[in-house]
Amino acid sequence: MPVRGLLIVNGFLKTDAVNETYSSLIAGAKRAGIDMTLSVNSDYFVDLADQTVRCIDPKVRAMLDDSAFILFWNKDVFLGRALEREGHRLFNCADAIEYCDNKALTFEKLSGKVRVPRTYKIPMTFETVGYTTFGFEEFLGDTLGYPYVIKECYGSYGGQVYLAGDRDEAVRILDSLDGKECIAQEFIDTSRGRDLRAYVVGDRVVAAMVRSNADDFRSNIENGGCPSRYDITRQQEQMAVSATLKLGLDFAGVDILFGNNAEPILCEVNSNAQFRALLKATDIDITDALFEHIISSLP
């Protein structure tokens, strides 16, 4: 009898790219002999009074109870933790997803574990207030130098990452964020428009590519970056695997910058990284390694 699994995704995100990812995961599960069913987080409610999971449809409850594992391909960590309290095995676990989703938490968790750009948490304000004074920016400019990077703590595809070339530009960026939480980071100029994406499953890198963009300081494919296959070095691989394991992830897309003499510097870690461009660049379908890892991890 095949292993039954449940793929829980965000019920409100319906782009062609994410739908293609879900189809690839279902197909990969089938190749591995897994009977995988797609479900959406909007099928469930977390009862915060008794911390249980309530399902809208009894069929969803039966499907959930019949699953040997959950591939939790979204960032609804309240639902994830509630499912874990019920005894379900999630790939990835809710805490690890939360560490990756909030970039400040990522760097807090990895402090002293891998080399990262010098990073400061920008003082918190409120989204209903924003920044009413910018005197604190002088410290960031003096400490990090210009240009430096401002990142919203929550963001994807490079869309919430900005480069401040001077104090005036930094103030304009901060003023435009409407009080969203963010971090400030040293800009690694040797990696301008170029980074390494390493896809880690378990304790190994299964595929790697370089993303390059001559027209933008960011290398994300969504911003015009071009992917190409890359032979990862031992040092880079060790960093990618170490960051993945330290965050408690079963799998991750780890982005690494190129420092002086190509020294690896961690950029960020993605708990449910898209892999369409990686497949195109490397001809490696990471879902095969992913489901092999899942099966080997089950009791």
Side-chain angles (χ1 to χ4, degrees):
M1 187 174 180
V3 173
R4 295 186 184 276
L6 192 60
L7 171 62
I8 299 183
V9 305
N10 189 282
F12 309 100
L13 187 62
K14 299 179 179 180
T15 67
D16 290 342
V18 298
N19 287 334
E20 183 179 334
T21 296
Y22 304 155
S23 296
S24 296
L25 290 167
I26 296 290
K30 185 175 181 179
R31 288 195 303 273
I34 297 170
D35 183 6
M36 177 77 81
T37 304
L38 179 68
S39 184
V40 293
N41 67 324
S42 51
D43 285 337
Y44 310 88
F45 284 93
V46 178
D47 188 329
L48 296 179
D50 61 11
Q51 301 190 24
T52 59
V53 177
R54 306 295 175 88
C55 300
I56 296 174
D57 186 338
K59 293 180 181 178
V60 173
R61 180 79 251 180
M63 185 171 58
L64 176 63
D65 292 340
D66 197 34
S67 297
F69 71 91
I70 297 170
L71 181 53
F72 200 67
W73 204 271
N74 78 88
K75 299 177 180 181
D76 192 342
V77 294
F78 277 93
L79 174 59
R81 278 194 281 265
L83 290 167
E84 289 169 334
R85 286 193 295 269
E86 288 193 352
H88 297 285
R89 173 64 160 97
L90 269 59
F91 299 85
N92 285 301
C93 73
D95 284 350
I97 292 171
E98 186 171 36
Y99 294 144
C100 292
D101 194 29
N102 184 326
K103 292 178 175 62
L105 285 180
T106 302
F107 289 98
E108 180 183 63
K109 188 72 175 177
L110 293 177
S111 175
K113 307 296 192 304
V114 297
R115 183 178 173 190
V116 300
R118 193 168 190 183
T119 304
Y120 288 97
K121 175 69 174 62
I122 295 178
M124 192 202 84
T125 181
F126 301 94
E127 293 192 25
T128 55
V129 176
Y131 290 106
T132 57
T133 180
F134 295 92
F136 64 87
E137 193 285 328
E138 184 175 350
F139 170 83
L140 297 174
D142 289 346
T143 306
L144 298 174
Y146 297 104
Y148 68 83
V149 176
I150 297 173
K151 294 182 180 180
E152 295 180 32
C153 286
Y154 298 95
S156 300
Y157 308 124
Q160 295 78 29
V161 180
Y162 317 92
L163 191 64
D166 55 32
R167 173 172 168 76
D168 288 342
E169 189 169 14
V171 168
R172 284 196 300 272
I173 292 168
L174 291 166
D175 191 40
S176 73
L177 296 183
D178 297 323
K180 295 182 178 69
E181 286 202 80
C182 47
I183 58 174
Q185 261 184 351
E186 165 193 11
F187 179 53
I188 308 301
D189 189 59
T190 51
S191 201
R192 180 186 291 266
R194 182 171 179 262
D195 74 359
L196 160 66
R197 163 64 62 84
Y199 212 103
V200 178
V201 178
D203 60 358
R204 66 188 181 96
V205 172
V206 298
M209 66 177 177
V210 163
R211 303 180 298 185
S212 302
N213 190 335
D215 300 317
D216 199 305
F217 76 98
R218 300 162 297 180
S219 61
N220 306 73
I221 304 300
E222 294 74 15
N223 294 321
C226 297
S228 59
R229 187 177 187 130
Y230 181 78
D231 293 325
I232 193 168
T233 68
R234 181 61 179 160
Q235 190 179 16
Q236 291 164 337
E237 182 171 18
Q238 287 175 337
M239 171 175 283
V241 171
S242 177
T244 300
L245 297 180
K246 294 295 183 184
L247 292 170
L249 295 156
D250 288 284
F251 59 92
V254 182
D255 298 340
I256 296 175
L257 303 173
F258 296 90
N260 292 324
N261 300 314
E263 178 185 7
I265 302 172
L266 186 81
C267 180
E268 64 182 57
V269 183
N270 305 275
S271 63
N272 54 352
Q274 303 297 318
F275 48 84
R276 180 172 58 174
L278 187 68
L279 175 61
K280 181 180 178 181
T282 67
D283 289 326
I284 296 173
D285 189 333
I286 62 92
T287 64
D288 294 326
L290 174 60
F291 289 110
E292 180 183 345
H293 170 75
I294 287 174
I295 291 172
S296 68
S297 301
L298 296 176

